Amino acid sequence: MEIITKVTDIQKITSSLHSVNKKIALVPTMGFFHEGHLCLMRRAKELTDIVITSLFVNPAQFGPNEDFEQYPRDFENDYKSAESNGTNYLFFPSTEQMYPKGDLTKIQIVGFTKKFEGVTRPQHFDGVATIVSKLFNCIIPDYALFGQKDYQQVLLIKQLVRDMLYNINIIVVPTVREDDGLALSSRNVYLSPEERLQAGIIFKALEEARGAVFEGENRRKMINAYMHNILRSEPNIRIDYASSADADTLDEPETFLPGEHIVLLIAAYLGKTRLIDNSIVSIPMEPGVKKHYFVEGI
Ligand code: AMP
């Protein structure tokens, strides 16, 4: 595995790979790898010969009071795990490489990005859209892989690809979880042992609402109430949002229609740590009939 730190170098490498018809898969990350990241790399390796993992803690997607400085970093360990999970090139640029002095361009996607995560983290998605667009432009991948864990981000990336006419296949990988259902996240290291135990309640809340939908609940506020009730049973948790919405548009009608795919979205704080998770479920045609319950991927 090679480490590449300069934009001009990754451009040279990818253009020579393209010239010999090699397909490239890009896995954008902020590092501190866990099994979720490694799953993306392994899936990328199944798709193509050449896997490029980018490791860049992107300052533009952090708000002024967020954890950019404290964000966990462990380059040596990341290097080893990227290498042993199929990455050929680890693109590890500096901030100056990605945001050259005097840069004035931002990519902004309007509409659904202003909801949910966009309320609490108003600059976040502009930062994500801008960095991903820069990575797409300098690498020109055939595939780019993202985790379902960051659901609204996946919708944003798909919108970016459509709107900016990128010829890139977006592959979404299901969320990798701990035994109690907690979604793996680099930020889980912030949790104290007690908070770590309490964090399992987020998955329980998603499962409770899924169960209610399966049994026939299709009123949005009632579905949300199932999540709120479970989350409230853990006094240490502070809910940012626990909401259901159309899985494609994030619209929030009063009632969902049979066959409609919906997403259950939770963001909650345990102490200072903000955790997010989601689950997709379809409104059954016939409540209680299992085949309509689980929806794989998105
Ligand atoms: P990050 O380093 O947190 O920006 O994440 C890099 C990529 O890994 C994103 O596409 C995330 O959605 C994905 N990812 C993070 N956590 C998980 C997880 N638990 N399961 C699957 N993918 C994940």
Side-chain angles (χ1 to χ4, degrees):
M1 187 179 78
E2 264 184 70
I3 302 175
I4 313 295
T5 57
K6 295 220 159 44
V7 167
T8 47
D9 289 342
I10 199 78
Q11 283 170 327
K12 271 187 217 143
I13 289 168
T14 53
S15 69
S16 75
L17 288 167
H18 285 304
S19 71
V20 292
N21 283 329
K22 292 278 187 201
K23 299 270 184 234
I24 297 172
L26 170 66
V27 181
T29 79
M30 298 206 299
F32 207 68
F33 296 150
H34 52 63
E35 193 52 31
H37 297 109
L38 305 182
C39 254
L40 295 181
M41 294 176 207
R42 293 196 297 267
R43 179 82 189 95
K45 198 68 187 180
E46 287 168 9
L47 294 166
T48 63
D49 313 327
I50 307 292
V51 176
I52 301 180
T53 297
S54 61
L55 194 177
F56 180 63
V57 184
N58 175 31
Q61 69 190 68
F62 289 77
N65 299 317
E66 292 182 357
D67 55 346
F68 174 68
E69 296 294 342
Q70 300 84 45
Y71 195 81
R73 293 160 169 93
D74 183 351
F75 184 78
E76 250 174 56
N77 199 45
D78 283 354
Y79 178 94
K80 285 186 210 138
S81 24
E83 185 170 47
S84 54
N85 283 273
T87 296
N88 302 90
Y89 297 94
L90 187 63
F91 182 45
F92 181 52
S94 63
T95 302
E96 293 70 34
Q97 283 288 311
M98 295 317 287
Y99 297 98
K101 206 157 173 266
D103 104 313
L104 295 172
T105 306
K106 248 189 212 168
I107 304 281
Q108 185 177 54
I109 296 174
V110 294
F112 67 84
T113 60
K114 304 298 165 209
K115 307 180 79 169
F116 305 121
E117 285 298 280
V119 174
T120 306
R121 310 185 72 194
Q123 295 131 30
H124 175 68
F125 286 127
D126 293 359
V128 172
T130 304
I131 194 65
V132 170
S133 185
K134 284 171 186 262
L135 291 168
F136 285 177
N137 289 335
C138 63
I139 291 169
I140 318 186
D142 299 281
Y143 301 92
L145 292 92
F146 295 87
Q148 188 195 318
K149 155 85 181 6
D150 297 281
Y151 187 80
Q152 213 173 342
Q153 171 171 286
V154 166
L155 292 185
L156 168 118
I157 301 295
K158 288 182 169 178
Q159 189 78 41
L160 177 75
V161 165
R162 272 198 299 276
D163 294 352
M164 299 306 286
L165 314 179
Y166 285 117
N167 185 16
I168 299 172
N169 288 298
I170 300 302
I171 309 293
V172 181
V173 175
T175 304
V176 179
R177 300 179 178 283
E178 303 277 10
D179 289 346
D180 66 347
L182 177 66
L184 299 193
S185 163
S186 305
R187 289 190 169 97
N188 291 354
V189 291
Y190 298 150
L191 298 170
S192 69
E194 299 77 50
E195 288 167 346
R196 169 61 196 87
L197 286 177
Q198 294 157 352
I201 197 92
I202 295 175
F203 183 66
K204 276 204 197 106
L206 292 171
E207 286 297 283
E208 182 80 4
R210 281 177 76 108
V213 170
F214 172 57
E215 295 300 336
E217 185 56 76
N218 63 351
R219 293 164 294 175
R220 182 175 53 81
K221 285 185 182 150
M222 288 304 295
I223 298 169
N224 298 354
Y226 278 98
M227 292 189 274
H228 278 260
N229 284 341
I230 297 288
L231 292 170
R232 278 203 215 102
S233 70
E234 176 46 69
N236 234 356
I237 214 158
R238 188 157 61 81
I239 303 172
D240 186 350
Y241 56 80
S243 302
S244 49
D246 181 281
D248 299 318
T249 61
L250 297 190
D251 286 347
E252 295 172 278
E254 284 302 304
T255 307
F256 296 111
L257 300 175
E260 187 172 357
H261 289 190
I262 69 168
V263 61
L264 310 169
L265 296 158
I266 293 180
Y269 294 89
L270 263 169
K272 289 204 177 107
T273 309
R274 186 169 183 278
L275 300 173
I276 61 169
D277 201 351
N278 67 82
S279 183
I280 305 168
V281 61
S282 68
I283 302 292
M285 297 294 189
E286 301 161 63
V289 178
K290 196 137 192 132
K291 66 182 174 183
H292 297 300
Y293 182 19
F294 291 104
V295 180
E296 292 292 333
I298 40 176

